[in-house]
Structures are given as structure tokens and as C-alpha cells.
């Protein structure tokens, strides 16, 4: 099965990708990780990518797709894979199908904006040891104090309500057309991501028509 995941920041895409990969026994391929690996390899291409990203530029579709194609040739991808972070727009989606990479489903993790704001606004981080908590879902034993090192917890700089709202606006603007694109092609599967992780994964498998 070839899948791609769609969902707002904070919708739980990373967790869903890991869980589905485990259940379906296929790898998750993140374009972010492919780029980081190429940079880490020290290749000429890696150096070019590093320079682009360091200067705040985007890496071209051509480059991302060539890295992706190379990765898809590996043995673990033969039964399928989950694409994380790709395609990001209709043009990339079209390029994939032109290359013969046919998605079985695009799985949208649907969650109300208000819920995302509540989730992200509840995150806390320890500035000393980088441990992360959530005031509701993963609280510390002592309010505001890191369990690991006793540090005073902070709200991450990008988790303020204003910044979260901005990120959600950008997400909707970029992703709505892609959701529409997959819906028209009959590839869109939607799962409500408000339940606990196990329930959400079970609903996702059901929506994808997978029986394990
Ligand atoms: Zn700490």
C-alpha cells in the first residue's frame, strides 16, 4: 500500500505514520529525513542542498523527486510505503503519478483548529534537558517543574497562540487545494484525530480498508 498523510501541525501525523508503518510493516519515508541524510552523506548534492536550506531557499521538486526515487528502489519499499511531507502541492502530486508512483490513499488526519490550538498551547519544554511535557496529556509530577532535572518549564517560542494561528492559516491555504485534488481523484480517506492514539489508528486502518 502506498500512502501519503495530510494533516495540520499538531494533528499527530508523526505518531500516525509510525503506528501505521508498524502495523502495515512498510517504511515511512520523510522527505525532510531524505534531505538531511543527503546532507549528512557529504555528497556534492548534499552540499548544494545544505547551501540552499541554510540560505532559506527551497530545494527543487526535481531534487526531492530524484532522492525519493532512489529511496523507493530499496528492498523495504517493495510492499509499499508511507510518504510523509510529500506531495505538498498539486504539481508534485501530478509529477508522482507521471512517474508511475500511484498512491492508494491520501489519509487526512482531521482535527478542529480549536483542538490543535489547545494541544499545542499545552506543550511545555524544559530549557535545561529539552524534555517535553503537556499540561493535560503528559503532565509533570510537580506543576511547572521538569521531572528529569528540576528545571523550570517553558512554553516553546513557536507555541504561542498567535504563532499557532498563523501556522494553521498557512497550512489551510497550502493544503486545502491538495485535499480537494485527492478528493476529486477518489483517493481521499479521512480520519478524525480527536480520539486517543490507539482509537485513531484503528479508525485509520478501517478507513483504509485494512484488516490485520
Ligand atoms: Zn529538565
Amino acid at each position: 500500500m502506498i500512502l501519503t498523510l495530510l494533516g495540520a501541525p499538531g494533528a499527530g501525523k508523526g505518531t500516525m505514520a509510525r503506528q501505521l508503518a508498524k502495523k502495515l510493516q512498510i517504511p515511512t519515508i520523510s522527505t525532510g529525513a531524505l534531505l538531511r541524510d543527503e546532507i549528512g552523506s557529504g555528497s556534492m548534492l548534499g552540499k548544494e542542498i545544505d547551501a540552499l536550506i541554510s540560505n532559506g531557499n527551497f530545494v527543487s521538486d526535481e531534487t526531492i523527486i530524484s532522492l525519493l526515487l532512489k529511496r523507493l528502489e530499496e528492498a523495504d519499499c517493495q510492499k509499499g510505503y508511507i510518504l510523509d511531507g510529500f506531495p505538498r502541492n498539486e504539481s508534485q502530486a501530478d509529477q508522482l503519478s507521471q512517474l508511475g508512483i500511484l498512491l492508494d490513499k491520501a489519509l487526512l488526519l482531521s482535527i478542529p483548529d480549536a483542538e490543535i490550538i489547545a494541544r499545542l498551547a499545552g506543550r511545555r519544554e524544559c530549557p535545561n534537558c529539552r524534555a517535553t511535557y503537556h499540561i493535560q496529556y503528559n503532565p509533570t509530577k510537580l506543576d511547572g517543574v521538569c521531572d528529569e532535572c528540576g528545571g523550570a518549564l517553558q512554553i516553546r517560542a513557536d507555541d504561542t497562540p498567535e504563532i499557532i494561528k498563523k501556522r494553521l492559516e498557512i497550512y489551510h491555504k497550502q493544503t486545502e487545494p491538495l485535499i480537494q485534488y485527492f478528493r476529486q481523484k477518489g483517493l481521499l480517506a479521512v480520519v478524525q484525530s480527536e480520539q486517543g492514539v490507539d482509537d485513531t489508528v484503528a479508525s485509520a486502518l478501517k478507513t483504509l480498508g485494512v484488516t490485520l
Side-chain angles (χ1 to χ4, degrees):
M1 179 175 281
I2 302 176
L3 289 177
T4 186
L5 296 185
L6 303 169
K13 264 191 319 211
T15 307
M16 176 61 82
R18 277 193 298 279
Q19 296 288 330
L20 285 179
K22 211 158 76 182
K23 302 253 183 216
L24 300 170
Q25 296 188 309
I26 53 178
T28 298
I29 297 168
S30 138
T31 45
L34 287 180
L35 292 172
R36 283 193 298 276
D37 287 350
E38 191 66 30
I39 293 170
S41 78
S43 68
M44 272 305 289
L45 180 60
K47 289 194 176 94
E48 285 169 29
I49 294 170
D50 194 23
L52 278 173
I53 295 177
S54 308
N55 291 316
N57 292 311
F58 288 106
V59 179
S60 72
D61 284 357
E62 201 189 342
T63 301
I64 294 178
I65 289 174
S66 76
L67 289 175
L68 192 60
L69 289 177
K70 206 168 85 184
R71 176 68 183 88
L72 298 183
E73 282 172 12
E74 289 174 35
D76 63 339
C77 295
Q78 303 318 309
K79 270 170 55 190
Y81 40 85
I82 300 167
L83 294 177
D84 179 8
F86 198 87
R88 276 200 198 285
N89 53 50
E90 294 166 77
S91 155
Q92 291 180 345
D94 279 334
Q95 290 178 65
L96 273 191
S97 54
Q98 280 157 19
L99 287 164
I101 299 173
L102 304 175
L103 294 167
D104 291 301
K105 287 284 179 205
L107 181 67
L108 170 66
L109 296 184
S110 175
I111 175 169
D113 281 3
E115 172 68 19
I116 288 180
I117 292 168
R119 278 192 196 185
L120 295 182
R123 295 203 296 198
R124 296 291 182 273
E125 188 181 59
C126 173
N128 297 331
C129 72
R130 299 286 150 196
T132 55
Y133 302 93
H134 192 282
I135 51 173
Q136 206 179 335
Y137 307 115
N138 180 23
T140 48
K141 292 192 190 85
L142 259 175
D143 204 16
V145 179
C146 178
D147 285 347
E148 300 292 326
C149 74
L153 300 185
Q154 292 180 345
I155 298 177
R156 285 171 33 160
D158 55 353
D159 279 349
T160 64
E162 293 73 30
I163 294 178
I164 294 168
K165 273 185 197 143
K166 199 72 238 195
R167 280 159 68 197
L168 284 172
E169 272 170 33
I170 294 170
Y171 162 76
H172 286 302
K173 210 168 136 193
Q174 286 179 341
T175 313
E176 293 299 336
L178 199 54
I179 293 173
Q180 202 51 37
Y181 173 96
F182 286 126
R183 185 176 284 130
Q184 277 166 0
K185 299 213 178 269
L187 296 177
L188 191 72
V190 183
V191 64
Q192 302 301 324
S193 181
E194 281 181 273
Q195 328 145 47
V197 174
D198 291 346
D199 289 343
T200 310
V201 172
S203 306
L205 289 169
K206 201 173 158 197
T207 308
L208 295 172
V210 176
T211 42
L212 293 173

